[in-house]
Amino acid sequence: MTHQTLKLAGMSCAGCANSIERIIKSIPGVIRCQVNFGMEQVDVDYDPKRTDLNTIQAKVRDAGFWATPITEINLESRPEKELLPKLSIAIVISIILFIGSLPMMTGLSLSFIPHWLHDPLLQLTLATPVQFWCGQSFYKNAWKAFKNRTATMDTLVVLGTSAAYFYSLFLTFESDFIEKQGFNSHVYYEASAIVITLILLGRFLEKRARKETAAAIKQLIGLQAKTARVIREEQTLDLPIEEVKVGDIILVRPGEKIPVDGIIIQGSSSIDESMVTGESLPVRKTVNQQVIGATINKTGSLQMQALRVGKDTVLAQIVRLVQTAQTSKAPIQRLVDRVTAYFVPVVMIIAVITFLFWILRTGNLTLALITMVEVLIIACPCALGLATPTSIMVGTGQGAKQGILIKNAESLELAYGITTIVLDKTGTLTQGKPTVTDFLTREGVGDGRELSLLQLVVSVENHSEHPLGEAIVRYGQLNQIKTLEVTEFDSITGSGVQGKVGSDFVQIGTQQWLE
């Protein structure tokens, strides 16, 4: 079985996602297919003996969409350059049309509104670019759905707004005929324009939410080192992280990030692995021990051999875990997808019934048409199919920002029932840095020298970069301890520090080293 993640383009609503999922599942050899509209991705498992990636891409393309394989960590979404100018123009025109239609909608004579704003020809001129340029994507997607013998939210939008627009177009040139039939001759250009504007606004905000959520994964990727100092053919080269190969020998100096996953072949150091383990204290690492890419080398200088690079590193796997959780479907979403598949055709039938009911009961074409349009527009199932995947996408993204990795959407759905959390260690339930809580002296130092002893310790540790030394210095600052000049300072990796303060020689370190 082969697994592949594809980036999708051309989707406009949850109905499109359902169509793509149904098309891919119909291909012989496809074992599993899961489309996530929020992330614009599809995960496919298929038998390479019965089908291939080109066949899957061709089927998606025939349906009017595009699918591109994601081979590396990919966070770039489709550009929003087309949407923003269309939305801006639609908002301006909709406001003008709305103001011009206020007298008709309120039944009041509003003298502050210029009479020429009521002119149907002017409203036609303003509404046409909104209908067919700003709303172009709705017509394209509705046509795709029609070719695939299905209906989506775009189908409802096109039917509803087109009915209002073309009815108003007919009234613009045949108002006398309509009035002779006893019908209302008011035009409804503002209705179609405002509906298109509001749906475009919704899609713009949705893209914004998607973009902000992707920032959480970008922060994870940002933890990775950008370059590595590699030894090749007895030369030391600073290479981009993408050019590091498995087996390369890499130099890592104190304070630098470990570039990739590997094993130490020379040297020893304390490694800050808190970004992976949550442990606040550095871990002592020496020859033949493995290190993780993006962790920080705190003290010693190391030579390491690269074992895993690129998409195989621990950090890349963490990123993929977050992305997989965002594309997974919760049980409730599967139910929503089934409902959405039948929802649009049912709404269209109800809209036709509504039109027939009012035209037969009242004989008022305007009333019958407007009620039909209301049914089509109000019933757009965008929120129905989008709410769950967007919630999962945003929820897992916010979790990643806080250091919480969620395996899949099903786990997220079950989490609401948690009443008790039991953890087997306290090292990860900290503020992320050690703090001095008490200062005690051994028997025999109770001669009033406690403060001077603390001053000696703080003065020496002020030259140290160890987290425990930093904690002692912070404790001294809180107690307003003034540091003294230190000479002959030395840091013994893994053991402690020492130095002379005046005539006193001070050593601070592990019990084993002091003994």
Side-chain angles (χ1 to χ4, degrees):
M1 183 180 76
T2 300
H3 175 81
Q4 182 68 58
T5 301
L6 303 169
K7 188 73 175 174
L8 296 172
M11 294 193 299
S12 62
C13 70
C16 297
N18 291 336
S19 297
I20 294 173
E21 195 167 286
R22 188 175 63 254
I23 289 164
I24 295 177
K25 283 181 177 177
S26 68
I27 301 172
V30 171
I31 300 166
R32 187 187 71 90
C33 169
Q34 189 164 283
V35 175
N36 184 282
F37 174 61
M39 290 292 293
E40 295 182 321
Q41 290 182 4
V42 56
D43 285 326
V44 185
D45 294 328
Y46 61 92
D47 183 353
K49 295 179 181 178
R50 301 179 61 196
T51 190
D52 55 28
L53 191 57
N54 290 333
T55 303
I56 295 170
Q57 287 181 275
K59 286 286 187 181
V60 174
R61 192 165 52 249
D62 291 343
F65 306 96
W66 295 268
T68 309
I70 298 177
T71 53
E72 295 291 336
I73 299 171
N74 186 352
L75 296 172
E76 296 303 319
S77 58
R78 287 185 293 131
E80 300 175 26
K81 292 180 181 178
E82 287 185 16
L83 186 57
L84 189 56
K86 287 183 177 181
L87 175 61
S88 303
I89 290 171
I91 288 173
V92 173
I93 292 176
S94 294
I95 291 172
I96 296 171
L97 290 172
F98 176 75
I99 293 172
S101 301
L102 275 176
M104 180 270 291
M105 289 189 287
T106 61
L108 301 174
S109 177
L110 304 175
S111 58
F112 62 88
I113 297 177
H115 181 73
W116 50 268
L117 280 180
H118 309 173
D119 185 359
L121 283 173
L122 174 65
Q123 293 195 356
L124 169 63
T125 304
L126 291 172
T128 300
V130 176
Q131 187 73 31
F132 299 109
W133 182 64
C134 299
Q136 183 183 37
S137 61
F138 301 125
Y139 284 93
K140 284 183 177 179
N141 295 325
W143 176 245
K144 288 179 196 172
F146 177 75
K147 288 197 299 183
N148 290 305
R149 297 188 298 278
T150 185
T152 65
M153 171 198 162
D154 294 293
T155 308
L156 297 183
V157 173
V158 166
L159 288 174
T161 59
S162 296
Y165 176 85
F166 286 109
Y167 176 65
S168 299
L169 180 65
F170 178 72
L171 290 180
T172 302
F173 297 102
E174 296 292 342
S175 57
D176 292 340
F177 171 79
I178 289 294
E179 287 175 355
K180 286 177 184 178
Q181 303 299 315
F183 296 131
N184 196 327
S185 62
H186 292 313
V187 294
Y188 295 94
Y189 291 117
E190 86 288 342
S192 62
I194 289 173
V195 165
I196 287 173
T197 302
L198 290 176
I199 294 175
L200 285 176
L201 177 62
R203 291 191 177 173
F204 178 77
L205 294 175
E206 168 207 324
K207 285 179 179 290
R208 284 278 299 274
R210 212 180 287 169
K211 189 176 180 180
E212 288 172 5
T213 300
I217 303 178
K218 285 182 179 179
Q219 286 179 0
L220 286 175
I221 294 176
L223 296 173
Q224 189 179 41
K226 301 297 184 290
T227 60
R229 192 168 290 103
V230 180
I231 301 175
R232 286 184 184 170
E233 298 176 358
E234 298 183 356
Q235 287 187 325
T236 303
L237 308 171
D238 284 330
L239 299 177
I241 197 72
E242 295 81 12
E243 295 182 18
V244 177
K245 300 176 182 178
V246 173
D248 276 344
I249 305 301
I250 302 170
L251 290 176
V252 188
R253 293 181 296 193
E256 293 183 336
K257 287 184 179 179
I258 307 291
V260 295
D261 296 358
I263 187 169
I264 298 173
I265 59 174
Q266 184 178 318
S268 62
S269 180
S270 295
I271 309 294
D272 180 358
E273 295 185 335
S274 57
M275 80 97 179
V276 174
T277 64
E279 295 286 357
S280 58
L281 293 179
V283 179
R284 185 75 187 154
K285 297 278 186 175
T286 187
V287 175
N288 293 329
Q289 289 187 300
Q290 292 195 13
V291 289
I292 302 169
T295 57
I296 299 173
N297 177 28
K298 296 287 286 186
T299 52
S301 184
L302 299 174
Q303 278 193 25
M304 57 171 284
Q305 185 175 30
L307 295 181
R308 291 178 296 275
V309 300
K311 62 181 181 180
D312 297 323
T313 62
V314 170
L315 180 62
Q317 290 172 27
I318 291 172
V319 172
R320 274 201 302 277
L321 177 65
V322 176
Q323 287 183 317
T324 302
Q326 290 185 331
T327 58
S328 64
K329 287 187 178 181
I332 188 65
Q333 188 180 341
R334 298 189 188 101
L335 174 62
V336 168
D337 289 344
R338 286 199 297 271
V339 171
T340 305
Y342 297 102
F343 189 80
V344 176
V346 170
V347 168
M348 293 170 66
I349 293 169
I350 292 173
V352 172
I353 293 172
T354 302
F355 176 81
L356 294 173
F357 174 81
W358 286 107
I359 195 72
L360 294 174
R361 182 177 179 181
T362 66
N364 189 325
L365 178 62
T366 301
L367 177 62
L369 187 64
I370 293 303
T371 51
M372 181 186 75
V373 171
E374 286 172 350
V375 170
L376 291 172
I377 299 301
I378 292 170
C380 287
C382 185
L384 184 68
L386 185 60
T388 305
T390 302
S391 299
I392 292 167
M393 181 181 66
V394 174
T396 50
Q398 289 298 318
K401 284 183 180 179
Q402 302 297 326
I404 302 167
L405 302 182
I406 299 164
K407 187 175 182 181
N408 53 43
E410 188 171 357
S411 303
L412 192 62
E413 185 176 322
L414 292 172
Y416 85 97
I418 292 175
T419 57
T420 306
I421 300 177
V422 180
L423 298 108
D424 66 344
K425 60 193 299 187
T426 59
T428 53
L429 300 178
T430 67
Q431 295 178 342
K433 57 184 180 181
T435 302
V436 176
T437 58
D438 298 285
F439 171 54
L440 305 173
T441 58
R442 294 190 63 175
E443 185 180 356
V445 194
D447 55 359
R449 292 195 64 201
E450 286 87 349
L451 285 179
S452 60
L453 177 62
L454 179 60
Q455 188 176 36
L456 293 174
V457 172
V458 171
S459 298
V460 175
E461 289 289 10
N462 196 37
H463 293 263
S464 171
E465 295 180 350
H466 195 280
L468 292 181
E470 292 172 356
I472 293 170
V473 172
R474 282 197 301 272
Y475 181 75
Q477 291 170 345
L478 287 173
N479 287 276
Q480 299 180 338
I481 301 296
K482 184 179 179 181
T483 56
L484 304 173
E485 185 179 350
V486 178
T487 58
E488 300 180 24
F489 175 83
D490 190 19
S491 174
I492 295 85
T493 302
S495 299
V497 292
Q498 62 187 25
K500 289 194 71 174
V501 185
S503 60
D504 291 314
F505 181 65
V506 182
Q507 290 181 303
I508 310 158
T510 64
Q511 182 175 346
Q512 183 180 1
W513 179 59
L514 293 177
E515 288 174 349

